[in-house]
Amino acid sequence: TGGSGESPWLYSGLLADEYTSSSTFAQNDETDKRTIQTSNSIVTGHFRDYFRTRTAGMQATLLLRKWLPTNKADIAEMFFVKGFSELSLAQDFCNGIPLSSIVSSNIAVDSIVYGEPLPVAQVIQKAADSFDSAFTILGTDTTAAANKRIFTAARIGKARALLANAKTAAEFQAAAALVQ
C-alpha cells in the first residue's frame, strides 16, 4: 500500500479515469488531475512496493528451488508474483524501469546484477516471460487445485501482457485466446 493505506490500483485508476477523486487527500487529487508532484510519497511508495514484491518473488523462487524443489505450485506462484509486479510496473510507470536480477541462490549483495533502464514494452515482455516460466514449471499437471489456480492466474497475466504489447489483429487474438 505504499505505507499510505491507499492501493496502487486506486492510483492507476485515477490516472486512467476509471475512478475520480472525491477525497480531500492532495495526492489523490493531483493524480486525478495528472499534476503529480515529485514529492508525492504515495506514488514513490507504490514504485518501491512493486520492486520489493518482485525481489521477494525472485528470492523465494531461489530458496524454494533449493529447499522444496518438488513444490511446483509454490515455485510457479513466485514466477507469477514476479510477472505481476513487472506488469504492474510497466502499466503504472514510464520508460526507464530498471529490472535487476539475482544470479545466485546465495542471495547476497554480490549476487545482484543491477539492470539497465528498460522501455515499457521490454518490461511487459519480461512479465510475459515470467508467466511463461510459471507454465514451464507446472507443465501439463493442472489437476491439483494449487496448480490449477496458479496456471489460471499466470494465463490471465500472460494475456494481459500480450494485450499490452499487441499491435496487430493476430496479436490481440492471441491474447484473447489465453482467457477463452
Side-chain angles (χ1 to χ4, degrees):
T1 63
S4 67
E6 299 284 6
S7 161
W9 296 286
L10 168 67
Y11 282 88
S12 60
L14 286 171
L15 193 60
D17 291 331
E18 292 173 295
Y19 307 118
T20 57
S21 177
S22 61
S23 74
T24 58
F25 297 112
Q27 293 90 345
N28 293 4
D29 293 337
E30 67 187 33
T31 302
D32 193 24
K33 293 176 184 174
R34 292 164 189 76
T35 58
I36 301 168
Q37 304 298 311
T38 56
S39 61
N40 186 318
S41 62
I42 294 175
V43 173
T44 302
H46 292 161
F47 189 69
R48 287 182 185 145
D49 285 346
Y50 286 143
F51 279 108
R52 285 180 180 140
T53 301
R54 183 177 181 273
T55 300
M58 289 189 300
Q59 290 171 329
T61 299
L62 291 168
L63 293 172
L64 284 164
R65 284 183 161 167
K66 181 177 181 177
W67 298 106
L68 297 169
T70 60
N71 194 336
K72 290 181 179 185
D74 286 349
I75 296 169
E77 185 173 12
M78 292 305 102
F79 276 104
F80 168 78
V81 166
K82 180 178 175 268
F84 193 81
S85 5
E86 291 162 345
L87 189 57
S88 296
L89 281 163
Q91 291 177 331
D92 290 357
F93 296 96
C94 298
N95 288 323
I97 301 166
L99 296 179
S100 299
S101 302
I102 301 172
V103 295
S104 162
S105 61
N106 184 15
I107 309 181
V109 174
D110 61 349
S111 68
I112 298 170
V113 175
Y114 295 100
E116 295 295 321
L118 300 173
V120 167
Q122 277 187 296
V123 176
I124 291 169
Q125 184 56 54
K126 294 269 189 189
D129 294 344
S130 293
F131 297 130
D132 283 341
S133 293
F135 297 140
T136 299
I137 288 164
L138 291 173
T140 58
D141 181 16
T142 58
T143 54
N147 290 9
K148 185 173 183 167
R149 177 178 48 86
I150 300 307
F151 184 84
T152 301
R155 195 176 67 199
I156 292 168
K158 174 75 184 263
R160 287 181 60 186
L162 291 176
L163 184 63
N165 274 346
K167 292 182 181 38
T168 67
E171 290 170 333
F172 282 106
Q173 289 171 348
L178 281 170
V179 291
Q180 291 178 351

